């Protein structure tokens, strides 16, 4: 049980698997006014940077679930490194349908909303683990500029323009689902560079170490084409943010 191996290769050196930076992750933690002892559930917790740093900085108690064995191992190591292994627990597993017995003060899914079959389904899933008065966090892309053609959307690795909304429409969609948007922290192009460009050096080094691997051809192809594709499409057209929601 794991994610496709290509992601475990290209993102093996990432601490944050999203265009949010460490600084913005800290801004988000502060913006939520987290209290010591607050429980945070994170579906698709990746390498655990959000839970580990918030446990360190705000004394929260976190549980993360992630399908990548590698990222989950890295999250556990990061918790030890930051001295929060007693407060940040990481489980390797499928988070689809995961509902926690201990209701959370913050229930998050940051950049993995396919876990609940899309944004709406993920909000419904997270709501089942939320205590009254708690906050749902959803990390999701939106169109920074509307792609003029479907080909441009595909250049952003979307299936179609309809995959994402413009920011005002995305915010409105939360209201239509019965939620107040109570905070948000948005990524910027520098943050996208940290997420996307960091893959290139990882791919280059991996190729040097694994020239005969069955994925070497695919990784070589990506390293050759990704910088230009990314600069032409994702960097220009795609925005990304974490949105904090409370039921109305
Ligand atoms: N929230 C983290 C990771 C985002 S990347 C961060 O911001 O750094 C998306 C994550 O979802 C990856 O870590 C991937 O392993 C995980 N994932 C994908 N499908 C999953 C599933 N069904 N259940 C749990 N995690 C999943």
């Amino acid at each position: 049980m794991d994610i496709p191996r290509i992601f475990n290769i290209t993102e093996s050196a990432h601490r944050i698997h999203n265009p949010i930076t460490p600084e913005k992750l800290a801004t988000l933690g502060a913006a939520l006014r987290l209290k010591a002892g607050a429980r945070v559930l994170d579906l698709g917790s990746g390498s655990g940077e959000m839970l580990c740093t918030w446990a360190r900085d705000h004394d929260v108690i976190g549980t993360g679930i992630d399908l990548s064995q590698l990222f989950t191992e890295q999250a556990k190591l990061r918790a030890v490194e930051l001295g929060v292994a007693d407060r940040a627990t990481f489980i390797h597993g499928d988070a689809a349908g995961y509902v926690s017995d201990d209701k959370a003060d913050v229930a998050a899914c940051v950049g993995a909303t396919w876990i609940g079959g899309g944004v709406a389904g993920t909000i419904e899933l997270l709501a089942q683990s939320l205590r009254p008065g708690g906050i749902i966090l959803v990390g999701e892309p939106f169109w920074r500029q509307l792609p003029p053609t479907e080909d441009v959307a595909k250049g952003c690795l979307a299936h179609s323009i309809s995959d994402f909304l413009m920011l005002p429409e995305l915010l409105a969609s939360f209201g239509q689902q019965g939620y107040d948007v109570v905070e948000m922290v948005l990524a910027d192009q520098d943050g996208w560079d940290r997420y996307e460009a960091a893959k290139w050096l990882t791919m280059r080094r991996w190729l040097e170490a694994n020239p005969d691997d069955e994925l070497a051809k695919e990784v070589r192809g990506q390293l050759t084409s990704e910088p230009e594709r990314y600069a032409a499409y994702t960097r220009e057209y795609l925005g990304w943010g974490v949105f904090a929601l409370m039921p109305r």
Side-chain angles (χ1 to χ4, degrees), residues 134-196:
I135 291 178
I136 287 177
L137 286 184
V138 173
E140 182 69 6
F142 55 86
W143 294 122
R144 203 175 150 253
Q145 298 181 58
L146 197 64
T149 64
E150 289 292 341
D151 279 347
V152 170
K154 288 195 171 69
C156 299
L157 307 183
H159 295 104
S160 94
I161 298 174
S162 63
D163 280 12
F164 304 119
L165 301 170
M166 298 288 287
L167 180 59
E169 283 77 44
L170 179 58
L171 297 173
S173 78
F174 297 131
Q176 283 149 15
Q177 221 188 314
Y179 286 85
D180 286 325
V181 182
V182 297
E183 256 293 359
M184 67 177 189
V185 174
L186 303 183
D188 59 18
Q189 288 175 307
D190 291 335
W192 271 113
D193 295 346
R194 287 308 81 237
Y195 176 49
E196 294 292 342

Side-chain angles (χ1 to χ4, degrees), residues 71-173:
F71 299 168
T72 306
E73 281 312 309
Q74 291 180 162
K76 289 178 184 171
L77 291 173
R78 186 68 172 148
V80 171
E81 186 182 14
L82 296 188
V84 297
D86 58 332
R87 300 197 292 286
T89 307
F90 294 98
I91 301 164
H92 172 235
D94 190 345
Y98 185 91
V99 176
S100 67
D101 298 331
D102 276 344
K103 296 308 169 206
D105 299 282
V106 176
C109 180
V110 178
T113 52
W114 57 85
I115 284 174
V119 177
T122 297
I123 291 172
E124 276 173 34
L125 174 62
L126 293 171
Q128 295 175 52
S129 295
L130 196 68
R131 72 154 181 79
I135 291 178
I136 287 177
L137 286 184
V138 173
E140 182 69 6
F142 55 86
W143 294 122
R144 203 175 150 253
Q145 298 181 58
L146 197 64
T149 64
E150 289 292 341
D151 279 347
V152 170
K154 288 195 171 69
C156 299
L157 307 183
H159 295 104
S160 94
I161 298 174
S162 63
D163 280 12
F164 304 119
L165 301 170
M166 298 288 287
L167 180 59
E169 283 77 44
L170 179 58
L171 297 173
S173 78

Side-chain angles (χ1 to χ4, degrees), residues 2-3 7-8 11 15-18 20 25 42-50 65-69 71 93-96 109-112 114-115 195 240:
D2 212 311
I3 58 172
F7 300 112
N8 283 324
E11 300 192 25
R15 254 187 201 145
I16 301 174
H17 305 265
N18 267 313
I20 196 164
L25 212 46
D42 191 10
L43 303 187
S45 42
S47 300
E49 193 66 4
M50 184 175 86
I65 297 118
D66 199 281
L67 193 54
S68 164
Q69 192 158 3
F71 299 168
D94 190 345
C109 180
V110 178
W114 57 85
I115 284 174
Y195 176 49
W240 192 89

Side-chain angles (χ1 to χ4, degrees), residues 32-63:
L32 296 177
R33 306 172 205 171
L34 298 164
K35 294 215 167 69
R39 293 195 169 275
V40 183
L41 174 69
D42 191 10
L43 303 187
S45 42
S47 300
E49 193 66 4
M50 184 175 86
L51 290 184
C52 290
T53 54
W54 289 2
R56 178 195 62 193
D57 299 341
H58 303 286
D59 229 354
V60 301
I61 315 268
T63 303

